Amino acid sequence: IFVDSLFNGSIEKQKLIDYFKSYSISEFGYVLRKKIIEKWIEFNCINDKNYCTEDELAEYLETTFVRGIIPFTPFYILTVLAARTDFVPLNGDLTSKGHCYQALIYISLRKANIPETEIGAFLNILSNISFAFYQESISSYSEDQLNGFLEVYAERYNLPFEVKYFVKVISRSAIFHKNSIGQYAFYAPYFYHYFVAKYLADRLSDKDTQKYIATIYNNLHIQMNAYIGIFLVHHSKDVRLIEEVLVNTMVLYDKYEEINLTKEEMRHIDDYANKLNNEIIEKYDKSQEERMKLLSYKDTHKEEENEDLDEISEPEEIRIELLNLKKAMRTVEVMGHILKNHSGELERKHLKECYVNAMNAYRRICNRFIIDFKKYEEDFVDFVVDRIENMEENSFTREDVSKYAQSFFSFFNMSIIYATIRRTADAVGSKGMMKIIKEVSEEIQNPFTYCVYLQCEMWYNKSLPLEDAKKRYKEFPLSIQHVIQRFLKEFTDLHHVEYREKQQIAASFNMKLSSLDYDYEK
């Protein structure tokens, strides 16, 4: 007998399989997700030119599952892919990405044989239960507590069925169930976050609700708030929600100016960049191999986030800085989810304002690190020199070590710039946002905005505006030219780019073209 994990949601059903061995399917990592997407593309006979569809579906899964909201198991992956085009929401106000979440809930309710006429009532009861949990900071009810809650609920809302009927039927749905210690709880975290957001979104005009929403968006470094904040926008297009995130984005690192990456700002690391070798482009198309290597690397180096940020075991000053950085990154991530998932549903002026402020937050963060690096450069170099000089069997002169430390220090500067541009493009970029991103790049003309645009153009549109990029490239600081070379190498490594076009790229951006491993033709 094979059943999915939803079957085990109720104690009564578990009794049927007591004498059977129990197994569970592990979550799919990046490599297995790639394979299931490839099979989905093949099954649906979808044209996938230069990994366009594959990357689009991969990003869709990433932004739908968010980081732990839904497990990456085959059942959920395939359900979300199917719901992407086939599911029509019960609630006309629900935004496009919200269809997937409601599809999973709807499927579970229908599996429990709940009639269509009762589904609306079940959804409303569940949203009220979830908000009660949120208010009381609890995760479950005893049977008496649940019955007491439903009796109070029935005094305010019309309950078209008996309380006992609701308890019995909802337990079959694997959404809200009686667990192994006799408590009623939401079966998966995403159900809880979804219904809390639904409750709040249905009451946006209420002043108390507005206070809850303000608190949520002001504390997005808390994982639960980030999830609820994302679901809120899936439930409603109300501009007040966007404004809450926008205000919190605008104040991130507001003591620092937005960095532009001009020649004046980069002068202190351009000397280092002048000594670097230019990037090498691989002659032959090994994009499939490179993609598999990259995904395998991600699978073996998964980030293990510390959910309780207050327990970071560092000195107080560093702990506070890490908390601030985590809060900033989470806030921009939530803004990014709004932009990626609702670029066709919000007015252009709101999209543009959100994009500019999210990007500016990262520009300020980048400037903060560059300023600190410059301020403490001498201390850093002295620290490295002293440590190496005190090592046994040290054969280096102080001058040699000093040059090495300075190069290492400059490498940190360039890495911060590269990482900030890359993260900005990943966080707030999408195919649907490309017109806005290009427009902003033309209005705010500096190396930072152009590099973000160029990275988004290559990754989301699979296009390299060669002549324009070549012209801009010549005007940029040497350090930024090396950053652009890195982005171009990654683009050619991970996409089908013909040899002739690779020659053009190499010639236009002072890069080398050679076979790194071996000659395929031989």
Side-chain angles (χ1 to χ4, degrees):
I1 297 177
F2 290 90
V3 295
D4 62 41
S5 60
L6 298 177
F7 183 87
N8 297 322
S10 112
I11 297 294
E12 292 178 2
K13 287 180 178 178
Q14 287 180 11
K15 291 177 182 176
L16 298 174
I17 54 174
D18 276 346
Y19 299 100
F20 293 91
K21 290 183 178 179
S22 179
Y23 300 92
S24 60
I25 297 175
S26 298
E27 288 193 43
F28 274 21
Y30 289 97
V31 171
L32 289 177
R33 272 180 249 164
K34 173 182 170 61
K35 291 181 179 180
I36 201 171
I37 288 171
E38 288 173 342
K39 290 183 182 295
W40 179 263
I41 290 171
E42 181 184 355
F43 176 75
N44 287 280
C45 302
I46 303 171
N47 179 36
D48 188 24
K49 186 178 180 181
N50 209 0
Y51 304 104
C52 288
T53 307
E54 181 181 320
D55 287 344
E56 187 179 331
L57 291 178
E59 186 187 17
Y60 187 82
L61 290 177
E62 288 289 329
T63 55
T64 302
F65 286 66
V66 187
R67 214 179 264 172
I69 284 186
I70 305 174
F72 276 106
T73 57
F75 171 81
Y76 285 121
I77 291 172
L78 292 171
T79 301
V80 166
L81 288 175
R84 182 170 180 259
T85 53
D86 297 337
F87 183 71
V88 179
L90 299 171
N91 178 1
D93 294 331
L94 196 68
T95 60
S96 56
K97 182 55 71 67
H99 295 185
C100 293
Y101 306 115
Q102 186 147 324
L104 293 170
I105 292 169
Y106 180 80
I107 289 168
S108 186
L109 293 175
R110 291 300 294 136
K111 281 178 68 176
N113 296 319
I114 298 172
E116 293 277 356
T117 54
E118 294 177 355
I119 285 180
F122 272 76
L123 294 175
N124 196 54
I125 294 170
L126 290 169
S127 68
N128 276 267
I129 290 174
S130 67
F131 187 69
F133 283 6
Y134 177 78
Q135 280 185 308
E136 298 173 38
S137 298
I138 59 176
S139 59
S140 63
Y141 271 156
S142 66
E143 189 168 348
D144 288 341
Q145 287 173 319
L146 177 60
N147 287 328
F149 173 87
L150 292 171
E151 288 173 7
V152 173
Y153 176 90
E155 293 175 4
R156 185 177 181 185
Y157 296 93
N158 176 46
L159 201 60
F161 37 70
E162 296 296 323
V163 168
K164 289 182 179 179
Y165 169 80
F166 170 82
V167 175
K168 180 180 179 181
V169 174
I170 199 63
S171 295
R172 295 201 301 262
S173 71
I175 293 176
F176 188 77
H177 71 129
K178 190 176 184 180
N179 61 27
S180 60
I181 56 173
Q183 302 296 299
Y184 286 88
F186 285 96
Y187 186 72
Y190 99 87
F191 291 133
Y192 168 69
H193 301 125
Y194 176 94
F195 284 113
V196 171
K198 181 182 185 308
Y199 182 95
L200 294 171
D202 289 343
R203 296 162 178 79
L204 285 178
S205 298
D206 183 76
K207 289 185 178 180
D208 289 335
T209 298
Q210 291 169 10
K211 291 178 183 177
Y212 281 115
I213 291 172
T215 300
I216 287 169
Y217 282 126
N218 194 40
N219 294 279
L220 291 172
H221 57 289
I222 300 172
Q223 190 73 69
M224 178 182 68
N225 288 341
Y227 288 159
I228 294 172
I230 291 168
F231 277 122
L232 269 167
V233 183
H234 289 323
H235 280 292
S236 173
K237 303 184 189 75
D238 196 300
V239 72
R240 286 173 291 184
L241 297 175
I242 311 299
E243 288 172 347
E244 281 290 347
V245 188
L246 192 60
V247 168
N248 285 283
T249 306
M250 292 170 70
V251 299
L252 297 172
Y253 287 83
D254 56 353
K255 293 180 182 178
Y256 296 87
E257 296 291 327
E258 288 89 15
I259 199 166
N260 297 311
L261 304 181
T262 59
K263 288 183 178 179
E264 180 64 29
E265 291 171 330
M266 295 295 101
R267 186 171 293 157
H268 68 293
I269 59 172
D270 270 356
D271 288 341
Y272 164 73
N274 192 40
K275 301 170 187 175
L276 292 176
N277 294 323
N278 291 329
E279 291 285 354
I280 301 172
I281 298 176
E282 165 63 38
K283 276 186 180 182
Y284 304 102
D285 184 1
K286 300 196 294 184
S287 55
Q288 190 70 7
E289 282 182 46
E290 291 299 319
R291 281 173 172 256
M292 289 301 291
K293 276 198 284 187
L294 178 62
L295 296 177
S296 296
Y297 177 83
K298 285 184 176 181
D299 278 337
T300 54
H301 293 79
K302 289 180 181 177
E303 289 185 86
E304 293 185 6
E305 287 199 342
N306 187 344
E307 296 300 337
D308 191 351
L309 298 175
D310 290 327
E311 293 183 4
I312 294 176
S313 56
E314 296 287 352
E316 183 65 14
E317 186 178 351
I318 296 177
R319 190 185 70 83
I320 292 172
E321 182 57 39
L322 289 174
L323 286 169
N324 289 336
L325 183 61
K326 181 67 73 174
K327 181 177 180 179
M329 291 170 65
R330 283 265 177 86
T331 302
V332 176
E333 278 180 8
V334 171
M335 179 64 82
H337 280 289
I338 293 171
L339 295 176
K340 287 174 183 287
N341 298 323
H342 309 289
S343 60
E345 302 162 14
L346 301 173
E347 291 184 35
R348 280 179 58 84
K349 63 179 182 180
H350 296 312
L351 288 174
K352 192 172 181 179
E353 187 179 16
C354 289
Y355 171 73
V356 169
N357 278 283
M359 180 180 63
N360 283 347
Y362 272 130
R363 288 172 63 193
R364 292 193 295 271
I365 292 171
C366 183
N367 197 24
R368 181 250 185 277
F369 280 103
I370 296 297
I371 288 172
D372 270 11
F373 282 165
K374 193 173 182 179
K375 181 179 177 182
Y376 296 110
E377 179 175 1
E378 190 175 333
D379 294 337
F380 177 86
V381 172
D382 288 343
F383 171 78
V384 173
V385 170
D386 291 341
R387 288 292 296 271
I388 293 179
E389 280 194 326
N390 292 327
M391 292 172 60
E392 294 182 10
E393 301 180 5
N394 172 36
S395 61
F396 299 101
T397 67
R398 186 175 182 86
E399 185 180 355
D400 290 337
V401 177
S402 180
K403 287 180 180 179
Y404 171 78
Q406 287 171 337
S407 295
F408 196 54
F409 184 81
S410 298
F411 170 77
F412 272 127
N413 280 266
M414 288 187 63
S415 297
I416 282 293
I417 293 166
Y418 165 83
T420 307
I421 293 171
R422 176 69 182 272
R423 194 171 187 95
T424 303
D426 289 348
V428 297
S430 70
K431 191 169 185 177
M433 283 291 296
M434 280 311 306
K435 289 181 180 178
I436 301 290
I437 294 170
K438 185 177 182 181
E439 188 177 310
V440 169
S441 173
E442 291 168 350
E443 291 177 3
I444 308 175
Q445 293 196 16
N446 61 53
F448 191 100
T449 57
Y450 187 79
C451 285
V452 173
Y453 157 70
L454 183 63
Q455 174 68 358
C456 289
E457 185 70 38
M458 288 190 292
W459 191 255
Y460 299 111
N461 276 348
K462 309 301 180 190
S463 169
L464 171 58
L466 187 66
E467 294 303 323
D468 180 58
K470 181 169 62 173
K471 179 182 176 182
R472 300 289 188 95
Y473 175 86
K474 293 176 181 177
E475 301 169 354
F476 290 163
L478 196 57
S479 51
I480 305 307
Q481 289 181 359
H482 278 280
V483 170
I484 290 175
Q485 284 187 8
R486 185 65 198 170
F487 286 133
L488 290 167
K489 174 175 171 51
E490 289 174 351
F491 175 71
T492 56
D493 279 350
L494 299 174
H495 295 87
H496 299 306
V497 181
E498 297 292 336
Y499 178 69
R500 183 169 55 183
E501 279 72 44
K502 286 184 176 180
Q503 285 180 310
Q504 288 181 311
I505 294 170
S508 299
F509 299 97
N510 302 320
M511 301 172 75
K512 299 177 182 178
L513 184 65
S514 64
S515 180
L516 298 178
D517 296 321
Y518 54 88
D519 192 328
Y520 274 18
E521 291 183 354
K522 292 179 181 179

